Amino acid sequence: MLSECAAATKNSKMLGVIVVGIGIAGRIRIRDLLNPLPNSAKEKLKLIGFVSRRTLGNIELLKQIMLEEALRSDEIHAAIISLENQFHEEYVRKFLDAGKHVCVEYPMALSVAAARELWDLADSKGKILHVEHIELLSAEYKQLKQQVSGKELMEGTLHFTGGPLDRQRTGFPAFSGVSRLSWLVDLFGELTFKSATLKEQQKQQYWKLTTLFHAKNSRPLIWIEERGPGLKRKKRINFQFKSDTLDHIPEVPNSHVGLFMQDLNLFAQKLAGQTLTEPSEKNRILHCLGLADEIRAFCEQIP
């Protein structure tokens, strides 16, 4: 699967990259690609241009490229998908079908069935499919994981708040919030879904999803995603262990290397054949999307 990329790297061949979607994340991707870390795998990535559904002209002296041209181009070897969640599956599929490697923001798709199809497609094409998860790279999360490691969970809660989202673009709350779900799975292992409630006030652009899981040994673990006007972006935790309790996320200095830059370097390392997508990474992503599917089905069947 990595032979093409590894050979290209050994021959010092640059790999052409396109950024698809010019929102906040897409512009950060462009910035980081134009300013790679010295002596990193990312130095082998050459930013060719960008794709947008809007007519924008040039950005940072980069040309806007039409989608069909990008799919056909032999100069473009990889695409970074930074679109709204509802378009992830469609565009990942287009670029994989065209023989391009793909880096996509989470969630990679809005169903676990679609995600499995995309992994299978990537494997059949011999291409890298990398799913970005910047929240697992944050300094605060890494410190939290160290504090949790080796402890026996009795019960816990993770409560996230943030501003309103457009459900049509971001998907059901369990999918738009899958990065927090990834925290819980990465910290405590595979979870069993038990129940969920979704309270929603559409006119007020407010919703609150409360989900109960069982972790190892049937320990209860509650995940809350709450979105609405005026709600500050914040995570609150209360993890009770047999030995002690963690009731706040550690405050640690941010890394001097930005989260998107770290993630981009991981993608570049995979393209260079320096690292692989570990089975545990793929299993975590699919497990989280499977849980999100269960939550959505449970909530949507309740009148």
Side-chain angles (χ1 to χ4, degrees):
M1 178 177 177
L2 295 175
S3 58
E4 175 189 334
C5 295
T9 301
K10 289 178 181 179
N11 294 329
S12 299
K13 179 182 177 181
M14 299 292 287
L15 297 177
V17 180
I18 192 88
V19 173
V20 183
I22 307 298
I24 295 174
R27 289 177 182 270
I28 293 174
R29 293 295 196 182
I30 287 175
R31 179 199 68 190
D32 290 348
L33 282 162
L34 291 175
N35 299 278
L37 293 172
N39 303 314
S40 70
K42 198 159 62 276
E43 286 189 311
K44 294 296 184 182
L45 304 184
K46 178 183 178 182
L47 182 57
I48 304 299
F50 67 92
V51 170
S52 176
R53 298 190 305 278
R54 299 170 290 163
T55 301
L56 298 175
N58 291 351
I59 295 177
E60 299 288 344
L61 302 180
L62 291 172
K63 63 180 179 178
Q64 180 169 357
I65 299 174
M66 300 302 294
L67 174 62
E68 292 304 319
E69 180 185 350
L71 294 171
R72 292 193 306 267
S73 174
D74 293 332
E75 188 182 12
I76 296 170
H77 306 94
I80 297 176
I81 311 298
S82 297
L83 295 162
E84 298 94 331
N85 296 352
Q86 70 180 51
F87 297 113
H88 286 181
E89 177 190 348
E90 174 188 353
Y91 278 75
V92 170
R93 193 180 302 277
K94 285 179 183 292
F95 279 94
L96 287 176
D97 274 331
K100 317 296 186 186
H101 306 286
V102 174
C103 168
V104 60
E105 294 177 353
Y106 57 80
M108 63 185 291
L110 294 179
S111 76
V112 69
R116 293 185 188 279
E117 288 180 8
L118 295 177
W119 282 117
D120 290 344
L121 178 59
D123 289 344
S124 71
K125 293 285 187 177
K127 299 301 173 183
I128 302 297
L129 175 54
H130 172 74
V131 182
E132 167 259 306
H133 262 300
I134 57 172
E135 291 210 22
L136 295 181
L137 301 174
S138 69
E140 63 176 14
Y141 176 73
K142 291 176 182 177
Q143 182 63 33
L144 175 64
K145 189 172 182 179
Q146 286 184 10
Q147 294 181 358
V148 168
S149 179
K151 295 181 179 180
E152 182 179 347
L153 179 72
M154 305 305 291
E155 61 180 329
T157 300
L158 169 60
H159 185 174
F160 173 81
T161 58
L165 290 178
D166 183 341
R167 282 267 303 272
Q168 182 177 353
R169 294 184 177 186
T170 60
F172 187 80
F175 287 94
S176 61
V178 76
S179 61
R180 268 73 66 186
L181 183 51
S182 296
W183 265 35
L184 295 178
V185 170
D186 194 54
L187 289 173
F188 302 115
E190 292 196 354
L191 306 175
T192 301
F193 170 71
K194 303 303 292 186
S195 63
T197 59
L198 177 62
K199 297 180 180 179
E200 190 169 16
Q201 300 168 8
Q202 292 185 0
K203 290 184 178 180
Q204 288 75 28
Q205 296 182 294
Y206 171 85
W207 51 255
K208 182 178 181 180
L209 175 67
T210 303
T211 304
L212 171 64
F213 300 108
H214 277 180
K216 185 179 179 181
N217 298 325
S218 297
R219 300 303 187 187
L221 194 56
I222 295 174
W223 171 40
I224 302 170
E225 285 279 313
E226 188 174 11
R227 290 276 190 171
L231 290 178
K232 293 183 178 180
R233 188 177 181 87
K234 190 172 183 178
K235 301 184 192 74
R236 299 176 179 86
I237 64 169
N238 190 292
F239 298 146
Q240 297 181 30
F241 301 98
K242 195 170 184 179
S243 58
D244 61 354
T245 297
L246 286 176
D247 59 5
H248 65 280
I249 295 173
E251 294 183 7
V252 292
N254 292 326
S255 170
H256 69 282
V257 180
L259 298 180
F260 282 100
M261 183 75 85
Q262 292 180 51
D263 180 74
L264 190 58
N265 200 47
L266 288 175
F267 181 47
Q269 288 172 359
K270 291 178 181 180
L271 293 177
Q274 297 173 4
T275 188
L276 296 168
T277 298
E278 297 291 341
S280 59
E281 178 186 353
K282 180 177 177 180
N283 290 341
R284 170 179 50 76
I285 291 167
L286 293 176
H287 178 61
C288 289
L289 292 177
L291 291 172
D293 260 340
E294 287 188 83
I295 296 166
R296 175 174 56 188
F298 185 88
C299 291
E300 290 180 349
Q301 74 180 359
I302 297 175

